[in-house]
Amino acid sequence: MPAAAPFNPEDIANAKYTERPVKEGVTTKKLICAACDIACTVVGEVQKGRVTKVRSSDNPIFRDNICMKGIIAPKGLAHPNRILHPMKRVGERGSGKFEKVSWEEALSDIGTRLKKVIADHGPEAWAVSTSQWNTSTDHGLGRRIMNHVGSPNWISGVALCAGNTAAVNRFTYGWFPFGDFGNTKCIVLMGHNPRRHSWTPLYNSIRGAQAKGAKLIVMDPRRSSSAERADIWLPLKVGSDAAMMFGWLKVIIDEELYDKEFVKNWTIGFEDLKKRVDEYPLERVAKLTGCDPEMIAEAARVYATSGPAVIPWTPITDMQRNSTSGIRLQTILRSICGNVDVPGGELLQGFNPDIINESEIEMHHVLSDEQKMKQLGSRDHPAFTYRGQLPFREPTKRVYGQEYANLVMGCHMATPSETFKAMAGEGDYPVKAFFFLGNNPLLSYANMPLIEKAMMNQDLIVAHEQFMTPSAQLADYVLPADSWLERPWLHDMFGWMSTVRFSEKAMDPPGECRSTFEFWKGIAGALDRSELVPWDTLEDFYDYRVARTGMTWDELVKTEVHFKKPAFRTYEKTGFATPSGKVELKSSILEDLGFDPLPYFREDPPKDENYPLMMFTGVREDGFFQTGHRHIPEMRARHPEPEIYLNEKTAKTAGVTEGEWVTVENQLGKIKAKLAIKDAMPDDLVRVPHGWWKPEMQQGSGHLSGALDYGDSQLCRDDADFLDREQGIPHIKGIPCRVVPLVADVAASKPAQVSRPVMEPAE
């Protein structure tokens, strides 16, 4: 669940609560946790200048929103292996040899080398990979500097997770909606499985809605914990989400269960949509999805008639060869059933007028049209690139007051696979400088062999990190990053919602760790462009951003939330932020870009008999976030080794047994993992965990701390059959593979131990 918990901001402002007592010598700070991507409101207890405990909020609205990752954060961030000083590579790239240098020395050399790359190859030869999920925020300053310098090649993991959803949602109704869980009557989870320690606020919101009588429909090949609680569970074939939604639309349109008045007055393309939907009778959909046609029809009727209903964001449709069509079908279901911008449905909030948002900070208007069109991937896969998003400039200004809306950072990105090809010398032009912040690119995108080749071909690599990740091991400079405990945070919901939340600074960063604000201010100075970040401190910058409220940052940070009063059906005054001003069931922009303006379904490529199973990846164990937290003993004790899941029948056919080390292989690569038998898995499906490496293992090329043994990105293909056409993102929910016993022995490694009692207050 990206961004924050679903809540009514007025409830927060009016909440009555008493702060819990604390021990003598302990002070408290109101914080927003960034141990994962959902941003729970929590409390940090500070003793002798250090956070010794993170606990749930005193506000009853947030009190249940905390998980193990937030609770253990003070210990994880105090690990003795944390990078505390700038590090410069002194051996060959990948040697794992670094020496300590000063920030001033590092920035001076980085500036000199980056300016040379730009002079030799053009500004587009500089690429950056990061996201606010990983760093909490870079404040829009990274894009601001790149736009002034002239580089359009910013990439992010949000290309596969939420950012691409936001960009594709715009093709239908101009914004990315957020569900009103407090008033909804029906919730549809498409493969998403929120749990007590994973997307905790969403888990709590769903449980709360069910307690008030809301229906829950779950589509998932697995018998997940959400499926166990569902009113209807559709165990669809992996990767068939778009086909399932066509089946729903067939029932809803044929039985006239849609909102006829809304469709008539506020949509275009309904008749064309109906013709496309007629290509998917329930018999065909049942064959494509493996689900009973009567159950498909029942689920469609429940969604259409139980409303208002919500289809929460799901990472599953973000990561498929039919991703654009799948996301579009979600938007179409919301629209024709009358669930857009209504209480209990999906809200289009827009910007908060009192806060200077990050889209403004980024200053996309200064990047020339010529440079925008050089953005990697924009020719063949333009959906979330500048080429695909520029047609929204006028509609967005008309409805939301400004031309550029970089929702969830996903609306003006380069395509990752094309960027790595260019870095490897296989693109339209060379990319020779690569920065990544709070990001582990080798394990975060598809096709690790290509990414490793790309990184080895760079003239300059800079990482801003807390720990020496596999990707950081290939960098020229690794600069030490602060954490969410060690800086204030203005959380603007990643440009998605109008509610803005605040987090206090709880302690000073250790060693020479610096924030992303300080990082980008330093880079601006190193490029002789100090005027791009004119604020002296992060607090000064926040004073600038909140000035319209009439309050200073120090005053505003004491509150928990700043919001504009929720409004509904705002389109009746402004229209939708699309070229037509209406919900475009048939997208005019996709048609102008040369793509099918209606959703469609591409069936699986022909099967290779050598790879009889299908795998999906992207799933994380609850104690980990993305590729992080594997250095924390308590988390590794829960999951000491990477595990794949099979059911007993599939394991027997593959000739493997519970607890055995196995190899998962396909045409791209192979990984090692232990086998766990899970009855909840369907036949012939393999669950592969995401982002595995082991910090305690040997660093440098040939090892990369186990990433070359366990990293699932080695199996994630990005060839044409496994890419979404409009976005160019990989299909990782249904990849052909096989599972075989591992021939060589694998020694289980022990996680590094913390050498001091970091949960105790410092002397």
Side-chain angles (χ1 to χ4, degrees):
M1 167 66 194
F7 52 69
N8 183 337
E10 291 181 303
D11 290 342
I12 302 168
N14 297 326
K16 305 297 183 184
Y17 64 96
T18 303
E19 293 186 3
R20 283 170 272 184
V22 295
K23 297 178 181 178
E24 184 178 353
V26 175
T27 58
T28 60
K29 296 290 184 179
K30 294 178 180 178
L31 306 175
I32 299 174
C33 179
C36 79
D37 53 358
I38 199 168
C40 294
T41 296
V42 296
V43 171
E45 294 189 359
V46 182
Q47 192 170 3
K48 296 185 177 180
R50 203 177 74 226
V51 176
T52 56
K53 181 179 181 180
V54 171
R55 60 170 172 81
S56 62
S57 174
D58 294 317
N59 190 321
I61 303 296
F62 297 131
R63 187 160 293 172
D64 290 335
N65 295 346
I66 194 168
C67 80
M68 65 176 81
K69 294 183 284 293
I71 293 170
I72 203 66
K75 185 170 188 176
L77 293 167
H79 194 282
N81 290 345
R82 184 170 172 183
I83 299 167
L84 301 179
H85 308 280
M87 306 295 291
K88 178 182 179 180
R89 176 173 62 84
V90 293
E92 295 294 321
R93 188 178 307 284
S95 66
K97 297 179 180 179
F98 293 84
E99 67 178 8
K100 187 188 303 184
V101 295
S102 68
W103 271 93
E104 291 70 23
E105 180 182 351
L107 288 170
S108 176
D109 189 41
I110 290 167
T112 298
R113 294 167 67 175
L114 181 56
K115 284 186 283 188
K116 185 177 188 306
V117 167
I118 292 170
D120 291 348
H121 304 287
E124 62 271 17
W126 176 30
V128 174
S129 174
T130 186
S131 84
Q132 274 80 319
W133 301 153
N134 303 76
T135 63
S136 299
T137 182
D138 76 349
H139 318 285
L141 294 174
R143 297 304 298 271
R144 181 189 184 93
I145 294 170
M146 294 179 76
N147 286 335
H148 278 86
V149 169
S151 175
N153 290 322
W154 188 93
I155 63 172
S156 174
V158 303
L160 293 87
C161 184
N164 60 332
T165 310
V168 173
N169 267 253
R170 298 182 82 192
F171 290 110
T172 303
Y173 33 58
W175 199 264
F176 185 21
F178 192 81
D180 179 9
F181 288 83
N183 297 297
T184 196
K185 302 298 182 184
C186 180
I187 301 169
V188 180
L189 293 178
M190 297 186 177
H192 204 183
N193 185 35
R195 301 178 297 281
R196 182 66 189 84
H197 290 280
S198 179
W199 289 288
T200 304
L202 182 57
Y203 169 86
N204 289 333
S205 295
I206 293 170
R207 299 287 81 78
Q210 283 188 287
K212 292 192 290 185
K215 300 291 186 182
L216 177 63
I217 303 171
V218 172
M219 303 179 190
D220 200 317
R222 310 160 296 169
R223 193 177 67 251
S224 66
S225 56
S226 293
E228 294 277 8
R229 295 185 175 93
D231 296 279
I232 298 176
W233 169 40
L234 295 169
L236 77 174
K237 177 185 172 184
V238 65
S240 66
D241 305 55
M244 177 64 73
M245 286 183 273
F246 270 121
W248 282 29
L249 285 169
K250 180 64 174 168
V251 173
I252 291 168
I253 293 174
D254 284 356
E255 298 182 8
E256 298 187 358
L257 303 178
Y258 56 93
D259 185 330
K260 297 182 182 63
E261 183 177 354
F262 183 85
V263 168
K264 178 183 177 181
N265 296 328
W266 289 105
T267 72
I268 60 171
F270 182 75
E271 291 303 319
D272 290 318
L273 172 69
K274 187 177 184 299
K275 291 177 184 178
R276 177 60 54 84
V277 169
D278 283 341
E279 298 174 15
Y280 294 87
L282 281 187
E283 293 75 16
R284 182 187 180 193
V285 172
K287 184 177 179 181
L288 292 171
T289 63
C291 289
D292 177 73
E294 287 303 317
M295 187 66 74
I296 296 170
E298 181 184 353
R301 293 178 189 124
V302 170
Y303 173 75
T305 62
S306 299
V310 298
I311 304 174
W313 166 81
T314 171
I316 308 306
T317 44
D318 291 352
M319 306 171 180
Q320 298 186 18
R321 64 200 301 271
N322 292 300
S323 175
T324 299
S325 288
I327 296 168
R328 287 262 293 139
L329 287 162
Q330 291 174 357
T331 69
I332 288 168
L333 280 167
R334 292 176 182 130
S335 300
I336 72 166
C337 291
N339 290 321
V340 175
D341 217 24
V342 297
E346 315 267 4
L347 310 185
L348 304 174
Q349 293 192 23
F351 295 114
N352 188 308
D354 297 333
I355 305 293
I356 294 178
N357 57 69
E358 293 190 1
S359 294
E360 290 183 70
I361 297 294
E362 289 169 349
M363 299 182 71
H364 293 278
H365 65 280
V366 304
L367 183 65
S368 71
D369 290 344
E370 178 185 4
Q371 290 304 106
K372 285 184 170 89
M373 292 305 105
K374 289 181 181 178
Q375 194 170 51
L376 291 163
S378 64
R379 181 185 63 229
D380 298 325
H381 309 291
F384 53 63
T385 69
Y386 278 116
R387 180 170 168 243
Q389 295 290 302
L390 285 178
F392 291 106
R393 288 173 61 184
E394 186 281 326
T396 303
K397 185 173 183 179
R398 168 171 47 83
V399 177
Y400 298 112
Q402 61 188 65
E403 289 188 341
Y404 290 91
N406 191 7
L407 308 180
V408 199
M409 306 153 286
C411 296
H412 309 105
M413 294 183 288
T415 302
S417 290
E418 294 301 314
T419 301
F420 292 121
K421 287 178 184 177
M423 289 170 58
E426 303 169 7
D428 293 338
Y429 55 79
V431 171
K432 301 298 290 184
F434 184 48
F435 289 19
F436 50 94
L437 291 80
N439 179 230
N440 193 356
L442 282 167
L443 292 162
S444 300
Y445 300 97
N447 196 345
M448 188 195 293
L450 172 65
I451 301 170
E452 185 177 13
K453 179 182 178 182
M455 293 180 69
M456 296 299 289
N457 191 44
Q458 293 302 285
D459 292 344
L460 174 64
I461 298 179
V462 178
H464 187 231
E465 257 296 353
Q466 295 169 346
F467 295 93
M468 192 62 75
T469 66
S471 300
Q473 293 166 29
L474 300 182
D476 297 294
Y477 284 95
V478 184
L479 303 179
D482 69 358
S483 79
W484 57 277
L485 298 174
E486 301 153 6
R487 61 170 179 268
W489 182 10
L490 189 160
H491 183 27
D492 73 349
M493 310 301 192
F494 310 117
W496 180 1
M497 291 172 280
S498 60
T499 302
V500 181
R501 297 160 61 214
F502 312 106
S503 184
E504 297 180 279
K505 178 179 177 179
M507 58 185 284
D508 289 329
E512 297 179 68
C513 296
R514 293 185 182 180
S515 68
T516 50
F517 171 84
E518 293 169 293
F519 173 89
W520 285 119
K521 185 173 177 64
I523 295 299
L527 291 173
D528 305 318
R529 299 299 304 272
S530 296
E531 78 280 2
L532 299 180
V533 188
W535 307 276
D536 291 332
T537 66
L538 179 55
E539 289 79 3
D540 292 338
F541 178 54
Y542 283 162
D543 278 338
Y544 165 76
R545 291 187 62 188
V546 306
R548 297 172 188 165
T549 68
M551 302 173 69
T552 67
W553 168 253
D554 285 342
E555 293 168 336
L556 203 57
V557 76
K558 302 298 182 183
T559 68
E560 286 185 299
V561 62
H562 185 81
F563 62 95
K564 67 177 185 180
K565 188 173 182 178
F568 305 101
R569 297 184 178 89
T570 54
Y571 57 82
E572 293 179 348
K573 296 181 179 179
T574 64
F576 291 92
T578 60
S580 65
K582 294 189 176 184
V583 171
E584 297 198 357
L585 307 176
K586 180 181 180 180
S587 171
S588 62
I589 295 177
L590 285 174
E591 189 167 34
D592 289 345
L593 291 170
F595 293 94
D596 195 326
L598 295 166
Y600 56 88
F601 183 74
R602 296 160 66 200
E603 297 189 34
D604 290 341
K607 280 196 171 183
D608 184 336
E609 293 182 358
N610 294 313
Y611 301 97
L613 305 180
M614 299 291 271
M615 61 160 274
F616 69 92
T617 187
V619 177
R620 313 177 297 252
E621 292 85 355
D622 287 353
F624 304 138
F625 175 59
Q626 311 294 37
T627 71
H629 299 161
R630 285 166 177 80
H631 65 285
I632 304 174
E634 288 81 358
M635 300 308 192
R636 285 289 295 283
R638 296 173 62 90
H639 298 285
E641 304 291 347
E643 289 185 329
I644 67 161
Y645 295 168
L646 298 174
N647 70 17
E648 189 169 0
K649 176 184 174 183
T650 305
K652 185 176 181 180
T653 301
V656 292
T657 58
E658 173 89 27
E660 179 182 2
W661 278 94
V662 300
T663 301
V664 184
E665 304 174 348
N666 67 7
Q667 296 92 333
L668 181 63
K670 62 182 181 180
I671 65 165
K672 305 170 185 175
K674 292 185 75 172
L675 172 62
I677 302 295
K678 300 290 184 181
D679 292 338
M681 293 289 295
D683 293 345
D684 301 326
L685 185 63
V686 188
R687 175 270 200 188
V688 174
H690 172 58
W692 261 91
W693 62 291
K694 295 182 179 180
E696 67 274 15
M697 292 182 68
Q698 186 172 343
Q699 297 184 7
S701 294
H703 305 281
L704 296 175
S705 297
L708 298 177
D709 289 321
Y710 314 118
D712 58 309
S713 57
Q714 295 172 101
L715 300 171
C716 296
R717 297 170 57 178
D718 62 354
D719 50 289
D721 277 342
F722 289 86
L723 283 182
D724 175 90
R725 289 170 175 163
E726 292 85 352
Q727 301 174 55
I729 55 94
H731 177 80
I732 61 176
K733 306 298 182 185
I735 309 172
C737 71
R738 65 186 175 212
V739 175
V740 297
L742 181 63
V743 176
D745 292 333
V746 176
S749 54
K750 295 181 179 180
Q753 296 298 308
V754 175
S755 60
R756 55 193 174 93
V758 297
M759 296 295 282
E760 296 297 323
E763 294 298 323

